[in-house]
Every structure is written in structure tokens, then in C-alpha cells.
Amino acid sequence: MKFTIDHFNINVLDLEKSLAFYDKALGLKEIRRTKAEDGSYIIVFLGDGSTLNKIELTWLKAMDRPYNLGDEEFHIAFKTSDFDGAYTLHKKMGCICYENKDMGIYFINDPDGYWLEIVPVR
């Protein structure tokens, strides 16, 4: 029996704001969308165009406050072949929340406060 990673879910408060962020900051594009008939949720899958891995953004109509992310002990990592260009973009966007120059990595925050790690291709 073999398993592969299909997607990682993130619940978002403002779907359009999150879609714009993930497109601008990471180049992730919408692959497909599902809407509940009663309007209670919208699920959008995003992809990078080169792998099968996806991020699932879930918007829940009933959620009226920011999500409690606890101690933020989880994150998603993204590799890039243009680390310096990514750093410049994210600095300009004002979304860098933590840098570890010794390890050669940094983290950005999405609109809901999730941490996303940026690592160079090594």
C-alpha cells in the first residue's frame, strides 16, 4: 500500500483576499471550486502548475471571526529557484514574519496568519 500527498487544507476568513495573496505571493492558481448548494461553504483547490500537490482553501459562511491558530506549530514549505527574487517580492508585500539567515530560509504570513516557509532549491 502506497500513499502520496494530495492536498493540505487551510480555512480562510476572506476567500478572495486569500486567493489574491496565494496568486501574488506564490503563483498558485485555482484548479477547481466547489460551492455548497445552501451557500454554507466554498472550497477552492490551488495548484502550482508543475506538481500534483494542492492547497485547499475552505471558506465557511458561519465563521465570523479570525481563526485561532494556536501555537502555530505547523507550516507548509515552498521551494523556489529564485530565492532572492521571492525574498524581494515578499519584503515588498510586507508578509515576511520570520527569517533564519543561518539556515537560508524565511517564513511569510498569509492573510489568516498561517506560516508558509520559503526555501531555496538546493
Side-chain angles (χ1 to χ4, degrees), residues 93-109:
M93 290 176 66
C95 60
I96 295 176
C97 59
Y98 179 76
E99 297 181 54
N100 187 326
K101 293 191 187 267
D102 290 338
M103 292 181 69
I105 62 170
Y106 67 92
F107 291 80
I108 61 176
N109 275 125

Side-chain angles (χ1 to χ4, degrees), residues 12-107:
V12 299
L13 192 60
D14 183 330
L15 182 59
E16 294 309 314
K17 185 175 183 180
S18 293
L19 289 171
F21 173 85
Y22 280 92
D23 183 22
K24 182 174 182 180
L26 300 167
L28 301 181
K29 305 292 185 199
E30 183 172 331
I31 297 171
R32 72 178 181 275
R33 177 183 293 237
T34 303
K35 294 181 181 181
E37 286 185 27
D38 65 0
S40 62
Y41 68 84
I42 300 172
I43 296 172
V44 177
F45 285 93
L46 304 177
D48 60 22
S50 60
T51 68
L52 297 176
N53 299 320
K54 298 174 284 299
I55 291 182
E56 173 187 5
L57 301 182
T58 300
W59 172 83
L60 302 171
K61 182 179 182 178
M63 189 53 137
D64 61 355
R65 65 196 176 286
Y67 286 91
N68 179 349
L69 302 183
D71 292 329
E72 190 60 57
E73 290 296 324
F74 61 89
H75 65 270
I76 305 170
F78 293 86
K79 285 193 289 191
T80 179
S81 59
D82 186 4
F83 187 82
D84 293 336
Y87 183 87
T88 300
L89 170 66
H90 296 144
K91 194 73 160 173
K92 184 176 179 180
M93 290 176 66
C95 60
I96 295 176
C97 59
Y98 179 76
E99 297 181 54
N100 187 326
K101 293 191 187 267
D102 290 338
M103 292 181 69
I105 62 170
Y106 67 92
F107 291 80

